Amino acid sequence: MGTFSILNQSASGKNLQRLFLLRIIAIVSQIIIFWTVYSVIELELPWMPIILTISLLAVLNFFTWIRLRYAWLVTNPEFFVQLLIDVASLTALLYFSGGSTNPFISLYLLPLTIAATVLPWHYTWTMAVITISCYTFLLFQFVPLPHDHLDDHSRHMFEFNLHVSGMWLTFVLSTLLITFFVVKMNASIRDRDKELSRSREQALQNEQIIALGTLAAGAAHELGTPLSTMAIITGELQQESLENVEFQRSIRILRDQIALCKQTLTHLLADAGQARVEEGNGQPVDVFLQQVIDKWQLVRPSIRFTSRYDGMQPAPVIMNTRLLSQSILNLLNNAADASIRQVDITCRWDEKQLHLEILDDGPGLDAEAAEHAGEPFFTSKGPGQGFGIGLFLANTNIERFGGSVRLFNRPEGGACTHVILPVLQGTASTSL
């Protein structure tokens, strides 16, 4: 916990971090300015209360740094109190160094600008009233700057030059600090808008998934009866033409497909609402991938494919859930539909990530497919050949597991589906 990167990372926490940095700049600037006044200009000021004020501000800023190391939410009242500390210290320093005649009086605009940028309007108006009151107080109550060692002409020239120089320095400091804070605040606002946009997109995807889940539940109920009927009929057909090897092979494939459909429908409702990442089982990456490919081979027995595995042994563990395996199956089916001759599957992993590349030798992605791939109900297949939800569901589910899916054209032709998935800490000794 010794670096700034692990401090409070909420939006309000980042604002307090910036105020902490601005206060450091203010303390350093005050030390430099008063040291110049003491050693170069040689003005006699009440140095003891000035030093105590700067020291107290530094101590309070140190406690602010300690507070930032905790993940507690920075509330608006707390941030407002932090600004009041700066106003109080500035008022004290101005009181002991000329009051309203001090050219640094315009620094009151800094906490007011910060309050207007960060806090709700009632805090801003309260800060405006407080700073105006402090300025008004310093019009009448302050320790004047000493000029006893100068004649009238020299005193007027000195006051004029000092005031002009102070105004210039105040403008430079105010410009730099306000620019720094406003730029950082604009960056925070843009980050917040991006986060809100991602949240809205995620909420929309969740609504679409819920709608698809409702339709799937109804479809599962409706398909149960016709699948049972087909299972009975294919069982009876299997008893016929026993000498016809090709016929028996086709019936066996058909019965396997029907059994797989029934098994999928059986688990559909049982798994609904329980397919969370934490409820899956850890399994070696190579074993998990081989099981998915074996299931895909059962579903698509006519597809020619090659598979290659490359990674550390023993293989790391990946979270094996039905959602994840089904998502990869959807991607494999999309590649099989697009492929002309065969599908090439390449699996690579290390101690952090699994990289799965599914290569087809089809025509590749056209401009429309490249732009809209992964959107719900978009499909580049012909009428009746796809619903446009396979890639959408696969991408959504894989992102829920902390992974990503990227679909792009290959230079040599065809398309590549690149899946990246995180693996769990630790390895398993089971391998292919």
Side-chain angles (χ1 to χ4, degrees):
M1 297 178 61
T3 62
F4 220 34
S5 61
I6 59 174
L7 298 180
N8 197 317
Q9 292 300 309
S10 64
S12 56
K14 289 181 180 179
N15 291 333
L16 187 56
Q17 287 179 24
R18 297 184 185 109
L19 184 60
F20 166 80
L21 294 175
L22 288 176
R23 195 175 288 155
I24 292 177
I25 297 173
I27 293 172
V28 173
S29 301
Q30 291 164 6
I31 293 174
I32 294 174
I33 291 171
F34 281 111
W35 178 84
T36 303
V37 171
Y38 175 78
S39 60
V40 178
I41 303 178
E42 298 182 348
L43 287 181
E44 291 297 330
L45 297 177
W47 293 112
M48 185 57 66
I50 290 175
I51 294 174
L52 288 176
T53 300
I54 298 176
S55 300
L56 181 59
L57 182 61
V59 170
L60 291 174
N61 207 36
F62 173 75
F63 284 114
T64 300
W65 176 72
I66 295 177
R67 183 261 176 272
L68 280 169
R69 300 172 72 85
Y70 297 91
W72 303 328
L73 179 66
V74 179
T75 61
N76 288 334
E78 179 185 357
F79 192 85
F80 184 73
V81 170
Q82 291 279 348
L83 289 177
L84 289 181
I85 292 174
D86 296 319
V87 172
S89 64
L90 178 61
T91 302
L93 293 175
L94 292 174
Y95 174 81
F96 293 114
S97 57
S100 61
T101 63
N102 192 315
F104 291 99
I105 192 74
S106 59
L107 288 177
Y108 276 126
L109 292 175
L110 279 176
L112 181 60
T113 301
I114 294 173
T117 307
V118 175
L119 299 175
W121 65 270
H122 54 278
Y123 287 101
T124 304
W125 280 106
T126 304
M127 180 60 69
V129 172
I130 292 174
T131 52
I132 291 174
S133 300
C134 292
Y135 197 133
T136 305
F137 168 77
L138 293 173
L139 286 173
F140 306 100
Q141 300 293 330
F142 59 90
V143 177
L145 296 174
H147 303 295
D148 296 337
H149 61 290
L150 300 174
D151 56 33
D152 289 341
H153 176 73
S154 299
R155 183 175 70 251
H156 289 309
M157 290 300 298
F158 172 79
E159 290 177 351
F160 177 78
N161 292 332
L162 182 63
H163 199 79
V164 170
S165 300
M167 289 176 60
W168 174 84
L169 185 57
T170 302
F171 174 78
V172 171
L173 288 175
S174 300
T175 300
L176 294 177
L177 295 178
I178 290 176
T179 301
F180 168 80
F181 199 88
V182 170
V183 167
K184 291 296 185 180
M185 279 305 306
N186 285 336
S188 295
I189 292 173
R190 288 193 295 269
D191 292 340
R192 184 195 63 184
D193 290 341
K194 290 180 181 178
E195 187 64 31
L196 290 175
S197 177
R198 285 193 294 265
S199 298
R200 286 193 295 266
E201 183 179 352
Q202 185 63 45
L204 179 60
Q205 287 184 348
N206 290 338
E207 291 179 2
Q208 293 169 334
I209 291 175
I210 291 174
L212 289 173
T214 303
L215 293 174
H221 178 72
E222 295 178 8
L223 291 175
T225 299
L227 283 174
S228 298
T229 303
M230 285 188 286
I232 295 173
I233 294 176
T234 53
E236 294 176 352
L237 289 174
Q238 196 172 25
Q239 304 304 319
E240 302 177 5
S241 303
L242 298 177
E243 71 285 352
N244 191 334
V245 178
E246 186 63 28
F247 176 78
Q248 290 295 321
R249 177 179 175 275
S250 298
I251 290 294
R252 187 164 55 253
I253 292 175
L254 184 58
R255 284 179 60 83
D256 290 341
Q257 299 292 310
I258 294 173
L260 180 61
C261 290
K262 291 182 66 177
Q263 182 183 16
T264 301
L265 293 178
T266 299
H267 290 293
L268 181 62
L269 294 178
D271 291 343
Q274 299 179 357
R276 298 191 297 269
V277 172
E278 61 269 23
E279 293 180 351
N281 297 317
Q283 192 172 36
V285 168
D286 46 6
V287 176
F288 167 74
L289 292 172
Q290 190 59 55
Q291 289 181 354
V292 173
I293 292 176
D294 289 343
K295 186 175 181 179
W296 177 62
Q297 191 175 11
L298 179 63
V299 176
R300 306 293 290 266
S302 61
I303 296 298
R304 297 178 57 189
F305 71 94
T306 63
S307 59
R308 185 170 70 254
Y309 300 88
D310 182 19
M312 56 185 292
Q313 292 294 337
V317 175
I318 194 171
M319 187 62 67
N320 176 21
T321 67
R322 189 174 301 277
L323 277 179
L324 184 56
S325 60
Q326 185 62 49
S327 299
I328 297 177
L329 278 174
N330 286 338
L331 298 177
L332 290 170
N333 284 329
N334 283 343
D337 293 337
S339 186
I340 299 174
R341 290 178 297 276
Q342 71 175 25
V343 175
D344 297 319
I345 305 169
T346 302
C347 312
R348 307 187 314 275
W349 61 81
D350 53 29
E351 68 277 4
K352 294 182 179 180
Q353 288 182 330
L354 162 66
H355 293 262
L356 171 64
E357 291 185 346
I358 306 172
L359 312 176
D360 67 65
D361 57 359
L365 303 171
D366 57 25
E368 183 182 14
E371 180 179 358
H372 298 286
E375 295 182 3
F377 306 110
F378 172 81
T379 178
S380 58
K381 301 176 183 178
Q385 299 182 16
F387 299 102
I389 61 174
L391 184 57
F392 165 71
L393 290 176
N395 184 65
T396 303
N397 289 329
I398 289 174
E399 286 182 350
R400 289 178 59 193
F401 285 89
S404 63
V405 179
R406 192 163 65 98
L407 191 63
F408 57 91
N409 286 323
R410 302 162 57 197
E412 61 271 25
C416 173
T417 304
H418 186 194
V419 180
I420 301 177
L421 282 167
V423 298
L424 304 180
Q425 294 294 329
T427 60
S429 58
T430 306
S431 61
L432 286 177

